[in-house]
């Protein structure tokens, strides 16, 4: 297989295992490139990419832009807050105006689940979903699984616990799809109110006790409480959440084995994990960020229709 089976990257759900493996093999090459003194290649010299961010982002926005520039693409950036969206322009009109300027690929983050799928149906460009509400965040799942593969040499057969606010998390859903396609076992752990009612139907184990989840897993992916997506209170207080679901060093050190700690960022230090856990040698959080550039380079390169 030398190219993706899809024109867009809307969600991991649409990818085949072979697509993911191709992205990883391509990312291996780009990881080598970005660690050279000259970190740039001419692969996308004739490609123009627009980054449309209708919601805040640090890692994803900067990582995509860096990936695009490392591939020598022409890049334009769009932030909804400073655009004509605030004057009432629709999403399709906005994007068609951008495409009229001869843009080839749209990278979009949007607060509404399904926004990337909607756009792909209505405009003539490759769409990359950079996170759509509580639906999917496919490049985050790719960089997470790539980082697990890098650490363990494989993903197949590993046990991964995703801990925290599963209900509001696009990272959780994309990670579940991606890890399962690659043969990992997945568990979700959190308070009952932050676990979707039918989450077990996705084929994941469900655990409400953090210690049991940590004792089971090889890797714990600690998610942030998504307060910006919570319209009601899902637990009595942050203090109580920290007591039951916060990962601290004494809990980590009390386990029988050394598990690997991941976090997609942004971290709320002292809530889902303490600083000494986030900064410990068991955490691969900054490796995830580094791998984000290589995996996004791979996705953009392959979507631009280039063979490996
Ligand atoms: N992990 C992630 O999506 O972070 P940002 O919201 O900063 O892009």
């Amino acid at each position: 297989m030398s190219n993706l089976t899809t024109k867009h990257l809307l969600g991991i759900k649409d990818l085949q295992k072979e697509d993911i493996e191709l992205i990883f093999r391509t990312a291996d090459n780009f990881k080598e490139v970005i660690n050279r003194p000259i970190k740039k290649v001419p692969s996308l010299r004739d490609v123009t990419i627009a980054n449309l961010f209708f919601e805040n982002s640090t890692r994803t926005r900067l990582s995509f832009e860096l990936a695009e520039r490392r591939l020598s693409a022409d890049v334009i950036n769009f932030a909804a807050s400073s655009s004509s969206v605030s004057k009432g322009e629709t999403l399709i009109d906005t994007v068609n105006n951008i495409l009229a300027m001869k843009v080839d690929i749209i990278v979009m983050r949007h607060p509404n689940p399904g926004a990337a799928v909607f756009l792909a149906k209505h405009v003539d460009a490759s769409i990359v979903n950079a996170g759509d509400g509580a639906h999917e965040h496919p490049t985050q799942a790719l960089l997470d699984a790539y980082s697990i593969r890098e650490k363990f040499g494989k993903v197949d057969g590993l046990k991964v616990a995703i801990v925290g606010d599963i209900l509001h998390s696009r990272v959780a859903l994309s990670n579940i799809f991606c890890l399962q396609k690659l043969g990992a076992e997945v568990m979700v752990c959190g308070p009952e109110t932050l676990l979707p009612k039918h989450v077990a139907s996705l084929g994941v184990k469900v655990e409400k006790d953090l210690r049991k989840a940590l004792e089971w897993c090889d890797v714990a992916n600690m998610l942030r409480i998504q307060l910006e997506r919570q319209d009601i209170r899902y637990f009595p207080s942050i203090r109580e959440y920290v007591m039951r679901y916060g990962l601290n060093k004494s809990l980590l050190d009390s386990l029988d084995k050394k598990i690997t700690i991941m976090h997609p960022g942004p971290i709320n230090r002292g809530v889902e994990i303490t600083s000494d856990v986030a900064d410990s040698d068991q955490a691969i959080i900054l490796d995830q960020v580094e791998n984000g550039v290589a995996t996004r380079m791979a996705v953009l390169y392959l979507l631009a229709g280039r063979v490996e």
Side-chain angles (χ1 to χ4, degrees), residues 48-251:
T48 305
I49 303 176
N51 300 313
L52 273 58
F53 279 73
F54 293 87
E55 193 187 76
N56 293 343
S57 168
T58 301
R59 275 144 295 272
T60 311
R61 188 172 56 80
L62 293 177
S63 179
F64 266 112
E65 186 171 344
L66 203 53
E68 292 152 7
R69 294 193 189 282
R70 297 271 192 251
L71 290 166
S72 305
D74 291 320
V75 179
I76 54 173
N77 289 308
F78 168 97
S81 52
S82 57
S83 75
S84 291
V85 169
S86 58
K87 299 176 195 162
E89 192 171 49
T90 68
L91 176 61
I92 293 176
D93 279 343
T94 300
V95 173
N96 274 329
N97 275 277
I98 292 167
L99 292 178
M101 301 177 210
K102 307 295 173 214
V103 167
D104 304 293
I105 298 177
I106 300 277
V107 174
M108 184 174 75
R109 170 167 288 191
H110 201 282
N112 294 349
V117 176
F118 173 78
L119 200 57
K121 284 185 184 149
H122 289 91
V123 304
D124 187 25
S126 276
I127 309 295
V128 181
N129 180 5
D132 60 332
H135 179 221
E136 280 227 38
H137 191 351
T139 55
Q140 180 69 46
L142 290 168
L143 74 88
D144 288 344
Y146 184 87
S147 302
I148 292 173
R149 169 185 175 268
E150 184 176 69
K151 170 85 187 177
F152 291 87
K154 62 172 189 175
V155 178
D156 185 35
L158 293 177
K159 294 177 175 169
V160 182
I162 305 173
V163 180
D165 183 358
I166 312 298
L167 185 66
H168 299 98
S169 175
R170 55 193 173 212
V171 175
L173 190 61
S174 288
N175 261 268
I176 290 168
F177 291 143
C178 191
L179 293 166
Q180 288 180 335
K181 282 176 200 249
L182 295 173
E185 269 187 272
V186 183
M187 172 184 282
V188 292
C189 174
E192 186 145 15
T193 50
L194 290 177
L195 296 172
K197 220 174 212 168
H198 303 292
V199 70
S201 67
L202 294 174
V204 297
K205 292 181 186 299
V206 181
E207 178 57 68
K208 287 170 206 137
D209 183 314
L210 177 61
R211 174 175 282 282
K212 285 186 185 160
L214 297 174
E215 280 168 351
W216 173 84
C217 71
D218 302 301
V219 178
N221 195 350
M222 306 300 297
L223 303 184
R224 181 175 66 88
I225 298 292
Q226 316 256 321
L227 289 172
E228 73 277 20
R229 295 203 188 98
Q230 297 186 8
D231 42 3
I232 57 168
R233 288 168 76 104
Y234 288 83
F235 46 85
S237 66
I238 291 283
R239 190 166 166 271
E240 186 158 322
Y241 181 85
V242 172
M243 282 169 63
R244 291 196 58 199
Y245 293 100
L247 176 54
N248 57 47
K249 198 73 168 61
S250 61
L251 175 54

